[in-house]
Each structure stands twice: as C-alpha cells, then as structure tokens.
Amino acid sequence: MKPFSLFFIFWVIVSGTIYISAFTRKDFPEDFVFGAGTAAYQWEGAFDEDGKTHSVWDTTSHCSNGSNGDIACDGYHKYKEDVKLMVQMGLEAFKFSISWPRLIPSGRGAINPKGLLFYKNLIKELRIYGIEPHVTLYHYDLPQCLEDEYKGWMNRKIIEDFTAFADVCFREFGEDVKLWTTINDAPIFAIGAYGQGIQFGHCNFTRNSCTETYVAGHNILLAHASASNLYKLKYKIKQRGSIGFIIYGFGLSPYTNSKDDEIATQRAQVFLYDWMLKPLIFGEYPDEMKRTVGSRLPVFSKEESEKVKGSSDFVGIIHYQTVYATNQPGPSLFPSLNKCFSTDMGVYLMIDGNSASFEVDLNPCGLERDLEYLKLSYNNTPIYILENGLPLKHDSTLQDTPRVEYMQAYIGAVLNAIKNGSDTRGYFVWSMIDLYELLAGYVSTYGLYYVNFSDPGRKRSPKLSSSWYTGFLNGMIDVASQDNIQLQRNLSSSSSL
C-alpha cells in the first residue's frame, strides 16, 4: 500500500467523517424494523409498588444476598426519560414485556389499575414519537401465587390463566400494539427453569428434570396456541397485529468436519429447534425425540395438534453466539442446567471448542446458519431477531468498541440472509440500556446506554454503541466490512506506538 493511501485511510478512520461502504440502513427492505429491547423484571424495578405482587423471579432473586431487580434501572419511574433516549437514537421499535403480577396481582381476576395505567402510558409515549411497541407477554415473571397454587407451568391450569392474562393485554393495549410474542425463549426456559437445583419460584427445590422439562414445554406450547388462537379469533381483524413465539438460536456448527459431528449437529437441531418449532409449523413433535424420550414426552391430541399447528405468524430468534456440536465427551453447556435433557440429546455443545459457559463470540456466520436452517426447514416462516448483543463488564467505560464491531458484523449477517431469501423482518439489539441480567446480575451488561446502579437516580449515559446505532439508523454511517474493521484495529494500534 502506498504511504499516501495508508495515511488517507488512517485519516478517514480517525476523523470519523467518512466510512468505506459495505452496507447502509437503506440496503434493508423498506418495512424492515430496527429496535432494541428490555424486559419487565430487568428494567422496571418498583418490585412492590402500586399493587404489584411478587413474581417467581422476585422470589428466586431474593434467595441469597446477591443482586436482584428490586430497583433495576427504575424504568417504572423513568420510562419517559428512556423513551427520549430512544427518540434521540432514532429507534424504530422497542421490545418490552408486561409484568403479569403488576397487571393482575392475583394471577387471575381483578386488574391492577395502576399497573394498567403504567403500560398504557408507556405505549402512548412510544406511539407519540413513532416508536413501534413490540410486546412480549411472558418473560419469566409468573405470579408467585400461581406457582404456589399449582406449580405454574407444570400444570395445565396455566393454559387458562395465561390465556386470560393475554386477553386483558390484547383488549387493553391491542389498538396500539401490532407485534406480540407470547413466551420468551421457550425451549431454554423449559430446559433451565425445569432442570436441576434452584428454580424460578423456589430457593431450594430440585425438580424431576427427566420428565418435567418436557411437561413444561408441552404446556408452554398449548398456552401459546391458546392465546394466539384467541387473538386471531377475537382481535386480529380489528387490530391488524401479528403474534409469534420466541426460541433461542445457537448458530449450531459441527466441531470438526467428521461425519459424526455433522450427525451430532443435526441431533442438536432436533432437540433445540425442532422440539418446539415442528409442532408450531407442522403440529407434531420430531420423530427422533419421540423415539429417544419415549413416554416422558407428552402427546398432542388431534385437537391440540390442530390448535398448535400454524399458531405463530412469525418466529422470534434470540441469538448471541455460535455453539459447536460433537459426540466426543467434553465440557458442555447443558449438564449444569439439565443433565437429563443433555443425556437425551446425546450431544456435547461447546463454545470455541473448549468453553462450557454462555460467552459470546464474534462469529456472525452462526446467525446466518440459523436463518438459513429456518428458511429451508420451516417454509421460510417470517423471522424477527429479537435479541442480539454483546455482554461487557459493567463499568463506567463508555467506549464499548467491541460491541460496535459485534453489531456491525451481525447486522451484516442479517442482510446477507435477507439477500439469500430469508424472510427476516426485524432486528433488535439487546439491550436498550444496562439491565439486571438473568445470569450475570450487574456484573456484565449489554446496554447501549450505561446505567450507574450506584446512583439513586440511576443516571443514564450514552456509550459509543448508542452513537454508532444512531448514525446507522439515521443513514449517516456506511458500515465497513470486517476487513476494514480489522484495518481500523491495526491502524489504531500503530498510532499508539
């Protein structure tokens, strides 16, 4: 490279005013939506205010002296401030969940007027500024009273109660909400919450994970179908919205080029994707799961199969990292969560070939593989990427360059998938601001905005990633290719010498 050219590229990068073009916001379909997300327990705080009762998440987070979501980001009191941040960023949509025990404190029956008013005001505030609300009905915060009464998702009574809760939400908010999802990350919720050790709603409680994981998963599917069919029969024509279901996408890849690892990857797809997607699209569990799990896997009646089949207008995908599948014994993701499910699956899952933790890597090809698999296996059903982001240590450093590089790479992967025919319709960064995280508490966070959790006022500060997303959404940034990102790194290193 000529010295002048090298200097010019260095100046371009440092000045931040010119970018080498790879793609822009305009390269996406006109109706494609970009957003960011939160969830009720992780964002709202106000855990015992204005008539809200405890959820199972409240109970479990108070089992030890560790962190909890009692205050979290205090979104319950600061939602208008957060909406202003979304407006400044140019956010097109906001994904959030509705706290069941805040809206219906007894789990069924009377509506809490203050809880209802909060969500109406939040949705109104979003609509005023042209931000599309994307509402998740259930993000792990079952009213504790229902867990105490009948063991929550282990009992078919949950189907009726969840449908009644959904009915209230559709009736009260549906005129302004056009995108609904029923249950967040359903397969992983069933695997994790109904695995081993501490569970949602219990401080010391061990479940029979060899059976209860599949029972909970079955009831989740039936509850989703019940709420979805209610929406389509009672509200859809008038409100003109869509309703979907969320799974976790692992970006599965064989650990080696061997035939055995290819087979292991296919088997992992069956247990992690097809377990719930095949009933949703085709009405039945995968044959391989029926053979392996046997009588522990519940059976759909003919009527139930027809209700579940076709009950999702779209599938929501949560994706953070690529996972490698092998049949060779080694450290794996699931035994600590659910040893029996891992044994049934018969596959060892690893990150970077040696890690057994939910770390995140920069490997956007995994997301493309997910989208290609869903396109080919499930009639190219519409897709929304509802969570995608990078966790970093929570500190006051606002220069989160790795997160910017991550977002560039994964948004580019989504565009590649669309160009290859995937009917992907939206992308949501997790998370809009720093939250109380399910596994990490406040140790590592995903936010585009920093939250000072030591400050009683929970001050928000923009990170570099929020500025980058602002520029991208407003058409001021042409995203550089990964080669150029690496060049930026190299030149930055050279400039510091």
Side-chain angles (χ1 to χ4, degrees):
M1 181 179 288
K2 295 180 180 179
F4 176 78
S5 300
L6 181 61
F7 173 79
F8 176 74
I9 293 174
F10 176 73
W11 180 85
V12 164
I13 293 166
V14 172
S15 69
T17 57
I18 304 174
Y19 290 80
I20 302 171
S21 178
F23 64 88
T24 70
R25 171 66 181 90
K26 292 181 180 179
D27 289 313
F28 287 81
E30 187 174 347
D31 57 353
F32 189 92
V33 62
F34 281 96
T38 64
Y41 184 78
Q42 299 171 260
W43 174 61
E44 290 176 9
F47 82 111
D48 61 354
E49 291 186 38
D50 292 342
K52 178 187 173 294
T53 58
H54 283 192
S55 73
V56 293
W57 206 341
D58 285 304
T59 300
T60 303
S61 68
H62 287 129
C63 287
S64 64
N65 294 323
S67 59
N68 57 58
D70 289 1
I71 302 175
C73 311
D74 199 22
Y76 184 74
H77 298 109
K78 297 174 73 69
Y79 73 92
K80 287 189 176 182
E81 178 181 338
D82 286 344
V83 172
K84 287 181 180 178
L85 297 179
M86 298 178 211
V87 174
Q88 292 171 11
M89 197 168 17
L91 214 62
E92 299 165 5
F94 178 54
K95 176 182 178 287
F96 64 96
S97 68
I98 292 175
S99 169
W100 189 342
R102 190 181 298 284
L103 186 63
I104 307 177
S106 296
R108 66 173 74 92
I111 298 172
N112 175 18
K114 291 186 177 179
L116 178 65
L117 182 62
F118 168 70
Y119 291 112
K120 281 186 174 289
N121 286 341
L122 170 60
I123 292 169
K124 179 182 178 182
E125 195 77 6
L126 292 167
R127 299 293 293 185
I128 285 173
Y129 293 102
I131 299 171
E132 191 73 30
H134 189 134
V135 176
T136 300
L137 293 170
Y138 184 80
H139 199 119
Y140 314 149
D141 48 2
L142 178 74
Q144 182 65 46
C145 55
L146 298 185
E147 177 67 27
D148 294 340
E149 180 184 338
Y150 56 71
K151 296 185 179 180
W153 291 99
M154 282 305 303
N155 194 306
R156 287 196 173 218
K157 290 181 181 179
I158 192 70
I159 300 167
E160 180 179 354
D161 285 337
F162 178 75
T163 305
F165 163 60
D167 194 11
V168 171
C169 294
F170 298 149
R171 183 181 71 239
E172 298 293 342
F173 313 127
E175 289 298 320
D176 293 310
V177 176
K178 305 307 175 189
L179 289 168
W180 297 92
T181 47
T182 51
I183 297 157
N184 189 72
D185 197 1
I188 299 302
F189 170 59
I191 294 167
Y194 294 87
Q196 297 173 220
I198 294 177
Q199 310 296 332
F200 277 128
H202 301 273
C203 290
N204 294 288
F205 189 74
T206 301
R207 298 188 185 275
N208 176 10
S209 62
C210 289
T211 299
E212 296 193 6
T213 296
Y214 301 111
V215 172
H218 195 70
N219 289 335
I220 285 169
L221 284 167
L222 293 175
H224 157 81
S226 178
S228 177
N229 289 326
L230 170 73
Y231 182 77
K232 292 176 180 180
L233 287 171
K234 190 174 179 180
Y235 297 102
K236 187 176 179 69
I237 292 176
K238 181 180 179 182
Q239 297 180 357
R240 294 174 295 172
S242 299
I243 188 163
F245 187 81
I246 306 176
I247 68 165
Y248 194 103
F250 284 91
L252 292 164
S253 181
Y255 180 40
T256 69
N257 292 328
S258 70
K259 184 66 175 179
D260 285 346
D261 283 357
E262 182 181 335
I263 293 172
T265 303
Q266 293 170 354
R267 188 171 174 85
Q269 288 171 332
V270 169
F271 274 77
L272 297 173
Y273 295 22
D274 302 347
W275 172 25
M276 293 194 182
L277 286 182
K278 191 164 185 182
L280 287 174
I281 307 300
F282 301 115
E284 287 292 341
Y285 288 121
D287 290 338
E288 188 167 354
M289 287 192 73
K290 292 178 183 179
R291 289 192 298 269
T292 301
V293 182
S295 61
R296 291 181 289 117
L297 185 68
V299 177
F300 292 110
S301 69
K302 184 176 180 180
E303 182 182 6
E304 288 170 344
S305 176
E306 289 301 316
K307 287 182 178 179
V308 173
K309 180 180 179 181
S311 59
S312 278
D313 295 319
F314 62 88
V315 172
I317 298 294
I318 294 173
H319 178 93
Y320 291 100
Q321 80 281 64
T322 292
V323 173
Y324 299 91
T326 179
N327 68 348
Q328 297 299 313
S332 188
L333 289 170
F334 285 123
S336 60
L337 290 175
N338 193 319
K339 183 177 180 180
C340 196
F341 183 87
S342 182
T343 300
D344 287 342
M345 184 166 58
V347 176
Y348 295 88
L349 299 176
M350 299 178 289
I351 297 173
D352 290 335
N354 55 24
S355 174
S357 63
F358 281 92
E359 297 174 359
V360 174
D361 61 353
L362 186 61
N363 190 349
C365 293
L367 179 54
E368 284 192 63
R369 279 194 297 270
D370 276 349
L371 298 177
E372 184 69 11
Y373 179 74
L374 295 173
K375 181 185 76 174
L376 297 177
S377 302
Y378 293 102
N379 302 330
N380 202 13
T381 188
I383 298 291
Y384 286 87
I385 311 298
L386 292 179
E387 289 185 25
N388 178 246
L390 180 69
L392 296 172
K393 181 180 178 181
H394 182 261
D395 55 33
S396 57
T397 301
L398 303 179
Q399 299 298 313
D400 56 344
T401 303
R403 183 172 288 118
V404 172
E405 295 173 351
Y406 179 98
M407 292 167 64
Q408 289 178 357
Y410 281 83
I411 291 174
V414 174
L415 181 58
N416 285 342
I418 292 172
K419 288 181 176 180
N420 287 327
S422 172
D423 189 8
T424 302
R425 301 183 179 185
Y427 171 90
F428 290 71
V429 176
W430 187 267
S431 54
M432 187 263 162
I433 64 173
D434 288 341
L435 304 172
Y436 171 78
E437 290 297 336
L438 173 62
L439 298 178
Y442 301 106
V443 175
S444 61
T445 54
Y446 294 74
L448 302 176
Y449 283 85
Y450 170 79
V451 177
N452 184 352
F453 294 109
S454 299
D455 175 10
R458 296 301 196 265
K459 182 181 177 182
R460 281 89 157 114
S461 301
K463 301 180 187 178
L464 179 64
S465 56
S466 71
S467 299
W468 180 88
Y469 205 32
T470 299
F472 175 72
L473 294 177
N474 288 279
M476 297 182 293
I477 286 179
D478 291 350
V479 177
S481 69
Q482 287 305 299
D483 289 340
N484 291 319
I485 289 171
Q486 186 61 48
L487 181 60
Q488 291 181 36
R489 287 176 170 174
N490 294 342
L491 290 174
S492 296
S493 298
S494 300
S495 67
S496 64
L497 296 178

